[in-house]
Every structure is written in structure tokens, then in C-alpha cells.
Amino acid sequence: MIIVGLTGSIGMGKSTTSTMFQDEGVPVYDADAAVHALYASGGAAVGPVEAAFPGVVVDGAIDRTKLSAAVVGNSEALAALESIVHPLVGAHRIGFFEDARDQGADIVVLDIPLLFETGGERKVDKVVVVSAPADLQRERVLARPGMDVAKFEAILARQTPDAEKRARADFVIDTGRGLDAARDQVRDILTRLRSAAPLEGRGEQAH
């Protein structure tokens, strides 16, 4: 089973691309969705996160706005949060792999926004980076409710630069050319992985 790490900076179209892999029948593990489940009422992260950051739990679930206010801009607080959440996500992911193997999957995708930032690229077989022109990225992000330039730039500052991600990728999917082109790129990557086509090096563009 080939493990593919899918990542991309904010506004690059990673979530849409992740759905395209699912549409092709590939099991996809969504790290963000796993965190949401851990933060929900009854989730395994609720107790330890409340203990570390008192006041962030509302009605039995972690209030992400309150939690964000407690950790954004504070590297020590963010590291403390990650030390709680990452092991829980890892345990959750084990179940995903077991289910995928039971289904006979030959390829699985791990949708991990902070793949490079957390060293996750060392735990996958291939890395796919979703990218788009910077002006399009900015336009997409600033169109989101509650987003402003300062918040956007703060998020970018915590993420590995797009150019570096592209250089370290096995495949790059350009979402700036539209949905149909992105879907073609997804299918091309799957075909090449299954045929064990040799790669020409990191940062190769899917066609």
C-alpha cells in the first residue's frame, strides 16, 4: 500500500483536491476532520486541552476560537497543544490504515495541512503538494468570512513557503488551471503511482 501525503498552503485548493482523490476511490485520511472529532463533545482531546488551557471548553467541546486566541502568536503554547493533539491524531490514524488494508486499498492519501512543518513527509512514500499562483491564493483566502490581511499573513508565517513545498514534493497539482485540469492531474498521479513510473525528482509537475 502506497502512502501519499497531500499538503498545501492555505487557499491552494487542498480540500477540493482531497475530495478528487476520494472520488477516484482512494481512501483519504483528513487530519483536520480528525482534530474536529477530537475537539467535539466527548472527544479525547477535550479533557487534556482544557487542563492545559483553562476556559477553552464550552458546552463540553473545545471552542476553537477561544483555543486559537490562547495559542496564536505563542510558540510555547502552540507546542504544548501539539504535544497533546498529535499523539491522539496518530492513534486515530492507525484505525484508518487498518480499515484501508481490510478494503484492499493499494493507495491511501493522508490529507495533512502541516505535513512539512511537523516532519510528516518522512512517514509517507510520496508527497503531493497542491499549489496555485500567489495572487489567486490571496484572492481565495481573503474572500473567506472573518478573514483579513493580518490574519492571512499570520497563517502564512507559520507555514512552509509554497516554493519550498513545491521543491520538496514528488508531485505538484496546480489548481490555478481549474477543476477539470486538477482532476486530470489527480488521475495522472494515480496512474503513475500504480504503474511505478519513475519520477524525475522532487517538485515534478503533474500533467
Side-chain angles (χ1 to χ4, degrees), residues 13-180:
K14 180 183 60 59
S15 295
T16 299
T17 304
S18 175
T19 299
M20 291 178 181
F21 277 101
Q22 288 182 304
D23 291 343
E24 296 300 317
V26 177
V28 174
Y29 182 82
D30 186 334
D32 273 352
V35 171
H36 275 283
L38 291 168
Y39 285 1
S41 180
V46 175
V49 170
E50 171 66 12
F53 305 97
V56 300
V57 171
V58 177
D59 295 330
I62 295 173
D63 185 307
R64 295 174 72 94
T65 300
K66 291 180 180 294
L67 180 60
S68 178
V71 302
V72 170
N74 185 330
S75 59
E76 289 185 4
L78 186 59
L81 176 63
E82 290 173 346
S83 72
I84 296 169
V85 175
H86 287 174
L88 293 173
V89 172
H92 188 268
R93 192 161 53 229
I94 291 173
F96 165 79
F97 283 123
E98 291 175 348
D99 289 343
R101 289 192 181 95
D102 289 344
Q103 295 167 17
D106 59 343
I107 298 172
V108 296
V109 169
L110 305 184
D111 179 345
I112 305 178
L114 299 178
L115 182 74
F116 289 120
E117 292 83 350
T118 59
E121 78 279 6
R122 296 190 296 270
K123 301 176 183 178
V124 300
D125 299 312
K126 300 296 178 186
V127 173
V128 175
V129 166
V130 182
S131 184
D135 57 343
L136 179 57
Q137 175 195 27
R138 185 181 185 87
E139 178 184 322
R140 288 171 176 171
V141 176
L142 292 181
R144 297 181 180 182
M147 184 62 68
D148 57 35
V149 173
K151 193 170 183 179
F152 172 44
E153 292 180 348
I155 293 171
L156 281 184
R158 300 200 308 269
Q159 297 184 336
T160 299
D162 179 58
E164 182 179 340
K165 287 178 179 172
R166 293 171 68 102
R168 296 170 66 183
D170 294 295
F171 297 101
V172 177
I173 294 178
D174 179 3
T175 64
R177 294 187 277 153
L179 294 176
D180 289 341

